[in-house]
Amino acid sequence: VQLQASGGGLVQPGGSLRLSCTASVNIDSIDSVGWFRQAPGKQRELVARVTAGGLTKYAGSVLGRFTLFLDNAKETVYLQMNKLKPEDTAVYYCNTVRWRTGQATGSWGQGTLVTVSS
């Protein structure tokens, strides 16, 4: 399974951005898809994950600001990011994730850079 993240860019604090994660297979065949981020000098962290059935789980730092949703074909997972803060600046990655544990199970792609700055 190949997942590719895209959609990053520069945005001002308080702004919004939508990231896309495109899968090489239908997401019905995957336990769950997760969005991770890695800020400079920090470890990679899981910020949100979603199952094909629409179950979602968010990290506390993004709860209420980030929303996951799937396209009708269930081949793309979107991460809608609102009320962005400078501390959201990071490279964002998507990966297949074991729903129960949040552990990434696939290889890492290039990621997409999100910069929140005025």
Side-chain angles (χ1 to χ4, degrees):
V1 178
Q2 302 279 342
L3 298 180
Q4 181 63 51
S6 62
L10 174 64
V11 62
Q12 292 188 339
S16 298
L17 205 59
R18 179 179 295 183
L19 305 183
S20 300
C21 174
T22 303
S24 60
V25 299
N26 189 289
I27 292 168
D28 279 330
S29 65
I30 302 172
D31 193 16
S32 68
V33 174
W35 279 97
F36 297 76
R37 67 185 181 188
Q38 187 167 21
K42 295 190 176 181
Q43 286 193 329
R44 190 174 291 163
E45 62 172 343
L46 176 63
V47 296
R49 59 191 189 266
V50 61
T51 67
L55 289 176
T56 56
K57 187 165 182 137
Y58 300 91
S61 58
V62 306
L63 188 64
R65 300 188 299 122
F66 291 11
T67 305
L68 285 162
F69 58 100
L70 306 171
D71 73 336
N72 288 338
K74 291 187 179 179
E75 292 177 350
T76 302
V77 176
Y78 298 99
L79 182 66
Q80 177 68 40
M81 305 186 296
N82 299 328
K83 300 178 182 177
L84 283 161
K85 305 175 181 180
E87 51 263 44
D88 294 317
T89 294
V91 178
Y92 284 70
Y93 304 84
C94 58
N95 204 334
T96 52
V97 168
R98 192 162 288 126
W99 172 258
R100 188 176 59 85
T101 64
Q103 179 184 9
T105 56
S107 57
W108 294 103
Q110 270 190 309
T112 187
L113 177 61
V114 172
T115 303
V116 184
S117 174
S118 54

